[in-house]
Amino acid sequence: MISMHRALTLGALFGALFAQNGSAQSASDKDNIQGWADRNSLSIRKAFDGTKAEQSPATLLWLLDMVGDDKEYSVIDLAAKVGQWDLAPRSADRLLIIYPVGEYHRQTQESKRAYNASLGLKGEFQLGVAKPAAPTSPPPGLEQPRGSVVAPLFMVDGKWGRDFEAASTNQRYSALLTLISNQRWLPSSDVRDARGILRLRYYPYLGIEHFRTSKDDDNQSETFATGRLHVSVWPISGLARRVQFVGETTYRGRLSGELSRHDAKDYSAGLNYYFDEHAHFGLGLEYLRGNDPDQSFKFRERMSLAFKVLM
Amino acid sequence: MAESLTNELVQKHVIWFLSGATLLKPEKIYLEYVLKDFPLLLDDKKLGNLTLQLRGYVQQYKPNATVLAPEVRKKGLTVSALVDLIVKKVK
């Protein structure tokens, strides 16, 4: 318990320092760094893998265990996205955006050793525009809104990485379709209560994922048909800005390949409590169970409590 | 056409688009609200769609003008800053 407390404290400290780009620096230095980050659309997260980890902050944790077998270990989960290129900047019917991402993950705990890094390119291709669903008619001078009830959005991802622990190289390619709509109860729309408080938003995904691992002369790959549902719920009306439930389930149906030789399932559920009304600082309890796509679909089940800083 | 477009009218139009993306009534959307924060809480996917709507709006008045997704997805962007951005584009 003592070690857990230390870990949380240190993790929170590292997280806060990192997210604020070094609070020990002068205010102007901080503004400069923040300004540079904003101009270059820099985002730092736990991962950019298309899952709810994209909403989780980076983790930099050092733990000193006073009684356990692993006396000291560290955990680093860091992903950065820099810049965004708009490939169709003049089109009012389609959005074509690409951006690079880099990830670094390391865990030195003996039973869960992990050490990998990757570079990737992600794309968002929205074809068509989802029309507004304002509760009032358009103000004077504004034409009737154009667009359709639902617009398809393709999330495309290519990632090349090295697993230093397993001495292997990995590739991952995916194309997932989700839907954008502003109509109540449809995917991505806001479901609000009578007071206008946001209560629910969800995204379904459907598509193809391909994983490839190479070690020495041995190449293994697997292709899946993937379905995912991501749900965010703000369950308590009076605390809607502070209490958030996030659930996600992913089912991968094996189409071909020999990497895992079975279908893969992954579930996660998280409860976040934010200390501020803008949901920047909080505590998050997360339960995770299923086949880990970053570890050749090995089964894992864990629960974690983390300090969250989202800037 | 753009000459008859006052800043106040552009503000009304932009707030109406935000109302259409969040399902909040226009009178409940205040200029100081940050797009990515409560109560709007627009994520990048929704802001991408909003970009397309605003592009179409801007090009009605200035066919050569455009709105970029990184401009609308910018961290900390307020309703007021978005209105200023669109005013600059249509004038």
Side-chain angles (χ1 to χ4, degrees):
Chain A
M1 195 65 200
I2 292 169
S3 59
M4 185 178 218
H5 173 74
R6 282 168 185 260
L8 286 172
T9 306
L10 289 165
L13 183 63
F14 276 124
L17 283 171
F18 191 83
Q20 292 180 28
N21 295 314
S23 55
Q25 296 175 45
S26 69
S28 64
D29 280 352
K30 189 178 155 189
D31 289 345
N32 289 340
I33 294 170
Q34 188 69 53
W36 182 89
D38 289 348
R39 282 193 300 279
N40 291 280
S41 301
L42 174 69
S43 296
I44 305 286
R45 292 288 185 271
K46 185 176 183 180
F48 284 105
D49 56 358
T51 71
K52 77 184 185 69
E54 293 193 2
Q55 306 303 319
S56 299
T59 302
L60 295 173
L61 180 142
W62 173 75
L63 188 141
L64 180 64
D65 194 334
M66 313 304 274
V67 295
D69 292 336
D70 289 311
K71 293 296 181 197
E72 178 185 343
Y73 67 88
S74 56
V75 179
I76 302 173
D77 286 310
L78 181 62
K81 159 182 147 184
V82 186
Q84 289 184 38
W85 289 277
D86 208 325
L87 301 182
R90 309 189 62 76
S91 173
D93 299 319
R94 59 186 191 275
L95 194 68
L96 305 177
I97 289 175
I98 58 168
Y99 49 88
V101 295
E103 296 194 23
Y104 181 89
H105 303 280
R106 188 163 196 183
Q107 181 156 341
T108 61
Q109 189 179 12
E110 197 56 45
S111 58
K112 299 174 183 169
R113 292 186 77 87
Y115 183 19
N116 58 73
S118 65
L119 287 173
L121 195 61
K122 294 176 78 88
E124 298 172 25
F125 306 136
Q126 183 175 327
L127 307 176
V129 55
K131 66 181 177 185
T136 60
S137 51
L142 193 60
E143 294 173 2
Q144 273 300 319
R146 65 199 178 87
S148 51
V149 171
V150 172
L153 170 64
F154 293 91
M155 312 289 290
V156 181
D157 186 7
K159 191 164 98 172
W160 304 268
R162 176 76 179 165
D163 187 331
F164 298 101
E165 195 65 34
S168 63
T169 55
N170 307 298
Q171 296 164 48
R172 172 178 177 165
Y173 305 97
S174 69
L176 298 176
L177 166 70
T178 188
L179 300 172
I180 301 294
S181 178
N182 292 315
Q183 312 298 318
R184 192 175 160 93
W185 296 110
L186 290 184
S188 90
S189 71
D190 290 352
V191 178
R192 294 179 182 271
D193 62 19
R195 294 192 301 148
I197 306 289
L198 181 60
R199 307 301 296 273
L200 171 77
R201 188 185 290 160
Y202 72 96
Y203 287 97
Y205 298 87
L206 199 62
I208 297 278
E209 289 182 296
H210 179 77
F211 298 83
R212 185 179 181 85
T213 296
S214 304
K215 185 174 182 180
D216 301 325
D217 291 331
D218 185 26
N219 296 317
Q220 290 187 320
S221 63
E222 199 140 44
T223 303
F224 296 98
T226 299
R228 176 178 297 140
L229 181 64
H230 176 106
V231 182
S232 293
V233 179
W234 292 267
I236 305 173
S237 181
L239 291 172
R241 294 166 186 245
R242 296 182 185 272
V243 179
Q244 178 194 25
F245 168 82
V246 183
E248 190 168 277
T249 179
T250 301
Y251 181 82
R252 294 181 171 94
R254 179 173 170 266
L255 297 176
S256 65
E258 63 289 333
L259 192 57
S260 68
R261 298 179 189 276
H262 57 73
D263 295 350
K265 299 170 191 169
D266 211 4
Y267 314 97
S268 70
L271 190 64
N272 300 323
Y273 180 83
Y274 292 99
F275 303 120
D276 65 314
E277 293 203 334
H278 298 298
H280 288 159
F281 303 93
L283 271 179
L285 180 67
E286 184 182 58
Y287 172 74
L288 186 60
R289 178 189 167 90
N291 305 101
D292 185 353
D294 291 326
Q295 297 290 323
S296 299
F297 299 97
K298 284 180 193 160
F299 180 80
R300 47 96 166 86
E301 182 176 22
R302 63 173 180 248
M303 186 174 276
S304 61
L305 179 66
F307 187 72
K308 290 185 171 258
V309 182
L310 280 172
M311 303 295 281
Chain B
M1 194 175 183
E3 289 76 25
S4 61
L5 202 59
T6 63
N7 292 2
E8 290 72 25
L9 199 53
V10 175
Q11 180 175 311
K12 273 188 183 174
H13 293 165
V14 170
I15 287 179
W16 189 84
F17 279 115
L18 284 168
S19 168
T22 60
L23 278 73
L24 270 174
K25 289 179 181 168
E27 58 269 27
K28 286 194 171 184
I29 297 177
Y30 297 100
L31 289 173
E32 63 269 26
Y33 282 173
V34 173
L35 269 53
K36 290 189 172 185
D37 285 354
F38 262 103
L40 304 179
L41 209 68
L42 290 159
D43 60 24
D44 277 353
K45 295 184 187 76
K46 291 181 74 78
L47 289 172
N49 190 64
L50 181 66
T51 301
L52 289 178
Q53 288 166 357
L54 292 173
R55 249 182 223 175
Y57 171 72
V58 163
Q59 288 173 356
Q60 281 177 31
Y61 300 98
K62 284 277 185 76
N64 292 324
T66 193
V67 182
L68 300 175
E71 294 177 316
V72 179
R73 289 175 169 179
K74 191 176 169 187
K75 282 179 197 167
L77 188 76
T78 59
V79 174
S80 173
L82 180 64
V83 170
D84 290 345
L85 177 75
I86 302 303
V87 166
K88 277 184 199 163
K89 304 269 184 187
V90 296
K91 293 275 176 164

PDB file of all heavy atoms in Angstrom, chain A residues 119-143:
ATOM      1  N   LEU A 119       6.777   4.458 -35.015  1.00  0.00           N
ATOM      2  CA  LEU A 119       6.420   5.658 -35.762  1.00  0.00           C
ATOM      3  C   LEU A 119       5.236   5.302 -36.643  1.00  0.00           C
ATOM      4  O   LEU A 119       5.143   4.167 -37.142  1.00  0.00           O
ATOM      5  CB  LEU A 119       7.578   6.134 -36.634  1.00  0.00           C
ATOM      6  CG  LEU A 119       8.751   6.788 -35.914  1.00  0.00           C
ATOM      7  CD1 LEU A 119       9.877   7.052 -36.905  1.00  0.00           C
ATOM      8  CD2 LEU A 119       8.326   8.095 -35.253  1.00  0.00           C
ATOM      9  N   GLY A 120       4.352   6.244 -36.834  1.00  0.00           N
ATOM     10  CA  GLY A 120       3.178   5.921 -37.629  1.00  0.00           C
ATOM     11  C   GLY A 120       2.625   7.127 -38.359  1.00  0.00           C
ATOM     12  O   GLY A 120       2.997   8.280 -38.093  1.00  0.00           O
ATOM     13  N   LEU A 121       1.759   6.839 -39.286  1.00  0.00           N
ATOM     14  CA  LEU A 121       1.070   7.882 -40.033  1.00  0.00           C
ATOM     15  C   LEU A 121      -0.419   7.584 -39.939  1.00  0.00           C
ATOM     16  O   LEU A 121      -0.848   6.445 -40.211  1.00  0.00           O
ATOM     17  CB  LEU A 121       1.529   7.858 -41.494  1.00  0.00           C
ATOM     18  CG  LEU A 121       1.199   9.086 -42.333  1.00  0.00           C
ATOM     19  CD1 LEU A 121       1.855  10.341 -41.761  1.00  0.00           C
ATOM     20  CD2 LEU A 121       1.653   8.862 -43.774  1.00  0.00           C
ATOM     21  N   LYS A 122      -1.176   8.581 -39.528  1.00  0.00           N
ATOM     22  CA  LYS A 122      -2.612   8.369 -39.397  1.00  0.00           C
ATOM     23  C   LYS A 122      -3.358   9.310 -40.329  1.00  0.00           C
ATOM     24  O   LYS A 122      -2.865  10.409 -40.625  1.00  0.00           O
ATOM     25  CB  LYS A 122      -3.065   8.627 -37.948  1.00  0.00           C
ATOM     26  CG  LYS A 122      -2.499   7.624 -36.965  1.00  0.00           C
ATOM     27  CD  LYS A 122      -2.873   7.955 -35.543  1.00  0.00           C
ATOM     28  CE  LYS A 122      -4.277   7.568 -35.213  1.00  0.00           C
ATOM     29  NZ  LYS A 122      -4.378   6.179 -34.731  1.00  0.00           N
ATOM     30  N   GLY A 123      -4.505   8.874 -40.766  1.00  0.00           N
ATOM     31  CA  GLY A 123      -5.300   9.711 -41.653  1.00  0.00           C
ATOM     32  C   GLY A 123      -6.756   9.704 -41.255  1.00  0.00           C
ATOM     33  O   GLY A 123      -7.264   8.710 -40.718  1.00  0.00           O
ATOM     34  N   GLU A 124      -7.418  10.825 -41.473  1.00  0.00           N
ATOM     35  CA  GLU A 124      -8.862  10.932 -41.249  1.00  0.00           C
ATOM     36  C   GLU A 124      -9.474  11.388 -42.562  1.00  0.00           C
ATOM     37  O   GLU A 124      -9.123  12.463 -43.065  1.00  0.00           O
ATOM     38  CB  GLU A 124      -9.173  11.977 -40.175  1.00  0.00           C
ATOM     39  CG  GLU A 124      -8.612  11.672 -38.824  1.00  0.00           C
ATOM     40  CD  GLU A 124      -8.809  12.858 -37.879  1.00  0.00           C
ATOM     41  OE1 GLU A 124      -9.738  13.663 -38.083  1.00  0.00           O
ATOM     42  OE2 GLU A 124      -7.989  13.001 -36.967  1.00  0.00           O
ATOM     43  N   PHE A 125     -10.348  10.600 -43.101  1.00  0.00           N
ATOM     44  CA  PHE A 125     -10.964  10.938 -44.377  1.00  0.00           C
ATOM     45  C   PHE A 125     -12.482  10.958 -44.202  1.00  0.00           C
ATOM     46  O   PHE A 125     -13.094   9.895 -44.101  1.00  0.00           O
ATOM     47  CB  PHE A 125     -10.564   9.926 -45.461  1.00  0.00           C
ATOM     48  CG  PHE A 125      -9.068   9.769 -45.602  1.00  0.00           C
ATOM     49  CD1 PHE A 125      -8.492   8.520 -45.721  1.00  0.00           C
ATOM     50  CD2 PHE A 125      -8.235  10.880 -45.601  1.00  0.00           C
ATOM     51  CE1 PHE A 125      -7.114   8.372 -45.836  1.00  0.00           C
ATOM     52  CE2 PHE A 125      -6.855  10.748 -45.716  1.00  0.00           C
ATOM     53  CZ  PHE A 125      -6.289   9.490 -45.831  1.00  0.00           C
ATOM     54  N   GLN A 126     -13.042  12.127 -44.139  1.00  0.00           N
ATOM     55  CA  GLN A 126     -14.495  12.244 -44.019  1.00  0.00           C
ATOM     56  C   GLN A 126     -15.080  12.583 -45.378  1.00  0.00           C
ATOM     57  O   GLN A 126     -14.687  13.560 -46.014  1.00  0.00           O
ATOM     58  CB  GLN A 126     -14.883  13.327 -42.997  1.00  0.00           C
ATOM     59  CG  GLN A 126     -16.398  13.404 -42.811  1.00  0.00           C
ATOM     60  CD  GLN A 126     -16.824  14.381 -41.734  1.00  0.00           C
ATOM     61  OE1 GLN A 126     -16.117  14.564 -40.749  1.00  0.00           O
ATOM     62  NE2 GLN A 126     -17.977  15.014 -41.913  1.00  0.00           N
ATOM     63  N   LEU A 127     -16.009  11.769 -45.804  1.00  0.00           N
ATOM     64  CA  LEU A 127     -16.619  11.968 -47.117  1.00  0.00           C
ATOM     65  C   LEU A 127     -18.039  12.477 -46.909  1.00  0.00           C
ATOM     66  O   LEU A 127     -18.896  11.756 -46.417  1.00  0.00           O
ATOM     67  CB  LEU A 127     -16.636  10.653 -47.893  1.00  0.00           C
ATOM     68  CG  LEU A 127     -15.264   9.960 -47.997  1.00  0.00           C
ATOM     69  CD1 LEU A 127     -15.385   8.626 -48.703  1.00  0.00           C
ATOM     70  CD2 LEU A 127     -14.272  10.857 -48.721  1.00  0.00           C
ATOM     71  N   GLY A 128     -18.266  13.720 -47.239  1.00  0.00           N
ATOM     72  CA  GLY A 128     -19.573  14.326 -47.009  1.00  0.00           C
ATOM     73  C   GLY A 128     -19.575  15.065 -45.685  1.00  0.00           C
ATOM     74  O   GLY A 128     -18.659  14.929 -44.872  1.00  0.00           O
ATOM     75  N   VAL A 129     -20.628  15.833 -45.502  1.00  0.00           N
ATOM     76  CA  VAL A 129     -20.729  16.611 -44.268  1.00  0.00           C
ATOM     77  C   VAL A 129     -22.044  16.274 -43.577  1.00  0.00           C
ATOM     78  O   VAL A 129     -23.076  16.111 -44.237  1.00  0.00           O
ATOM     79  CB  VAL A 129     -20.595  18.137 -44.572  1.00  0.00           C
ATOM     80  CG1 VAL A 129     -21.595  18.601 -45.601  1.00  0.00           C
ATOM     81  CG2 VAL A 129     -20.704  18.962 -43.314  1.00  0.00           C
ATOM     82  N   ALA A 130     -21.966  16.112 -42.257  1.00  0.00           N
ATOM     83  CA  ALA A 130     -23.186  15.861 -41.482  1.00  0.00           C
ATOM     84  C   ALA A 130     -23.827  17.206 -41.165  1.00  0.00           C
ATOM     85  O   ALA A 130     -23.172  18.103 -40.648  1.00  0.00           O
ATOM     86  CB  ALA A 130     -22.852  15.119 -40.192  1.00  0.00           C
ATOM     87  N   LYS A 131     -25.105  17.341 -41.479  1.00  0.00           N
ATOM     88  CA  LYS A 131     -25.729  18.656 -41.333  1.00  0.00           C
ATOM     89  C   LYS A 131     -25.990  18.996 -39.866  1.00  0.00           C
ATOM     90  O   LYS A 131     -26.167  18.093 -39.033  1.00  0.00           O
ATOM     91  CB  LYS A 131     -27.015  18.736 -42.149  1.00  0.00           C
ATOM     92  CG  LYS A 131     -28.125  17.841 -41.688  1.00  0.00           C
ATOM     93  CD  LYS A 131     -29.320  18.022 -42.618  1.00  0.00           C
ATOM     94  CE  LYS A 131     -30.453  17.093 -42.247  1.00  0.00           C
ATOM     95  NZ  LYS A 131     -31.566  17.171 -43.185  1.00  0.00           N
ATOM     96  N   PRO A 132     -26.022  20.281 -39.564  1.00  0.00           N
ATOM     97  CA  PRO A 132     -26.278  20.696 -38.175  1.00  0.00           C
ATOM     98  C   PRO A 132     -27.688  20.294 -37.753  1.00  0.00           C
ATOM     99  O   PRO A 132     -28.569  20.138 -38.590  1.00  0.00           O
ATOM    100  CB  PRO A 132     -26.140  22.225 -38.217  1.00  0.00           C
ATOM    101  CG  PRO A 132     -25.572  22.568 -39.540  1.00  0.00           C
ATOM    102  CD  PRO A 132     -25.847  21.430 -40.451  1.00  0.00           C
ATOM    103  N   ALA A 133     -27.856  20.147 -36.452  1.00  0.00           N
ATOM    104  CA  ALA A 133     -29.177  19.789 -35.917  1.00  0.00           C
ATOM    105  C   ALA A 133     -29.554  20.760 -34.809  1.00  0.00           C
ATOM    106  O   ALA A 133     -29.928  20.349 -33.717  1.00  0.00           O
ATOM    107  CB  ALA A 133     -29.154  18.362 -35.402  1.00  0.00           C
ATOM    108  N   ALA A 134     -29.406  22.044 -35.100  1.00  0.00           N
ATOM    109  CA  ALA A 134     -29.702  23.047 -34.080  1.00  0.00           C
ATOM    110  C   ALA A 134     -31.178  22.987 -33.695  1.00  0.00           C
ATOM    111  O   ALA A 134     -32.029  22.731 -34.548  1.00  0.00           O
ATOM    112  CB  ALA A 134     -29.352  24.440 -34.600  1.00  0.00           C
ATOM    113  N   PRO A 135     -31.465  23.210 -32.394  1.00  0.00           N
ATOM    114  CA  PRO A 135     -32.861  23.166 -31.955  1.00  0.00           C
ATOM    115  C   PRO A 135     -33.681  24.358 -32.443  1.00  0.00           C
ATOM    116  O   PRO A 135     -34.893  24.401 -32.218  1.00  0.00           O
ATOM    117  CB  PRO A 135     -32.766  23.186 -30.425  1.00  0.00           C
ATOM    118  CG  PRO A 135     -31.322  23.095 -30.077  1.00  0.00           C
ATOM    119  CD  PRO A 135     -30.519  23.387 -31.303  1.00  0.00           C
ATOM    120  N   THR A 136     -33.065  25.320 -33.100  1.00  0.00           N
ATOM    121  CA  THR A 136     -33.797  26.480 -33.612  1.00  0.00           C
ATOM    122  C   THR A 136     -33.568  26.586 -35.115  1.00  0.00           C
ATOM    123  O   THR A 136     -32.625  26.007 -35.645  1.00  0.00           O
ATOM    124  CB  THR A 136     -33.314  27.788 -32.949  1.00  0.00           C
ATOM    125  OG1 THR A 136     -31.916  27.942 -33.254  1.00  0.00           O
ATOM    126  CG2 THR A 136     -33.486  27.756 -31.452  1.00  0.00           C
ATOM    127  N   SER A 137     -34.427  27.350 -35.800  1.00  0.00           N
ATOM    128  CA  SER A 137     -34.251  27.526 -37.245  1.00  0.00           C
ATOM    129  C   SER A 137     -33.081  28.476 -37.502  1.00  0.00           C
ATOM    130  O   SER A 137     -32.706  29.269 -36.624  1.00  0.00           O
ATOM    131  CB  SER A 137     -35.533  28.046 -37.879  1.00  0.00           C
ATOM    132  OG  SER A 137     -35.985  29.170 -37.190  1.00  0.00           O
ATOM    133  N   PRO A 138     -32.486  28.422 -38.714  1.00  0.00           N
ATOM    134  CA  PRO A 138     -31.310  29.261 -38.994  1.00  0.00           C
ATOM    135  C   PRO A 138     -31.635  30.745 -38.863  1.00  0.00           C
ATOM    136  O   PRO A 138     -32.732  31.176 -39.213  1.00  0.00           O
ATOM    137  CB  PRO A 138     -30.974  28.903 -40.443  1.00  0.00           C
ATOM    138  CG  PRO A 138     -31.627  27.604 -40.698  1.00  0.00           C
ATOM    139  CD  PRO A 138     -32.835  27.551 -39.831  1.00  0.00           C
ATOM    140  N   PRO A 139     -30.690  31.532 -38.339  1.00  0.00           N
ATOM    141  CA  PRO A 139     -30.919  32.976 -38.233  1.00  0.00           C
ATOM    142  C   PRO A 139     -30.946  33.633 -39.611  1.00  0.00           C
ATOM    143  O   PRO A 139     -30.553  33.019 -40.602  1.00  0.00           O
ATOM    144  CB  PRO A 139     -29.717  33.462 -37.414  1.00  0.00           C
ATOM    145  CG  PRO A 139     -28.695  32.406 -37.515  1.00  0.00           C
ATOM    146  CD  PRO A 139     -29.387  31.122 -37.821  1.00  0.00           C
ATOM    147  N   PRO A 140     -31.419  34.888 -39.698  1.00  0.00           N
ATOM    148  CA  PRO A 140     -31.498  35.582 -40.984  1.00  0.00           C
ATOM    149  C   PRO A 140     -30.139  35.596 -41.687  1.00  0.00           C
ATOM    150  O   PRO A 140     -29.103  35.732 -41.039  1.00  0.00           O
ATOM    151  CB  PRO A 140     -31.917  37.003 -40.598  1.00  0.00           C
ATOM    152  CG  PRO A 140     -32.515  36.897 -39.252  1.00  0.00           C
ATOM    153  CD  PRO A 140     -31.873  35.738 -38.577  1.00  0.00           C
ATOM    154  N   GLY A 141     -30.184  35.449 -42.982  1.00  0.00           N
ATOM    155  CA  GLY A 141     -28.956  35.515 -43.766  1.00  0.00           C
ATOM    156  C   GLY A 141     -28.245  34.195 -43.907  1.00  0.00           C
ATOM    157  O   GLY A 141     -27.232  34.097 -44.589  1.00  0.00           O
ATOM    158  N   LEU A 142     -28.761  33.174 -43.256  1.00  0.00           N
ATOM    159  CA  LEU A 142     -28.109  31.865 -43.333  1.00  0.00           C
ATOM    160  C   LEU A 142     -29.016  30.914 -44.112  1.00  0.00           C
ATOM    161  O   LEU A 142     -30.192  30.766 -43.787  1.00  0.00           O
ATOM    162  CB  LEU A 142     -27.870  31.313 -41.921  1.00  0.00           C
ATOM    163  CG  LEU A 142     -26.946  30.109 -41.802  1.00  0.00           C
ATOM    164  CD1 LEU A 142     -25.555  30.415 -42.336  1.00  0.00           C
ATOM    165  CD2 LEU A 142     -26.834  29.670 -40.342  1.00  0.00           C
ATOM    166  N   GLU A 143     -28.450  30.314 -45.139  1.00  0.00           N
ATOM    167  CA  GLU A 143     -29.229  29.380 -45.946  1.00  0.00           C
ATOM    168  C   GLU A 143     -29.510  28.116 -45.138  1.00  0.00           C
ATOM    169  O   GLU A 143     -28.853  27.849 -44.136  1.00  0.00           O
ATOM    170  CB  GLU A 143     -28.453  29.008 -47.211  1.00  0.00           C
ATOM    171  CG  GLU A 143     -28.251  30.173 -48.153  1.00  0.00           C
ATOM    172  CD  GLU A 143     -27.337  29.800 -49.314  1.00  0.00           C
ATOM    173  OE1 GLU A 143     -26.911  28.635 -49.386  1.00  0.00           O
ATOM    174  OE2 GLU A 143     -27.061  30.696 -50.133  1.00  0.00           O
TER     175      GLU A 143
END
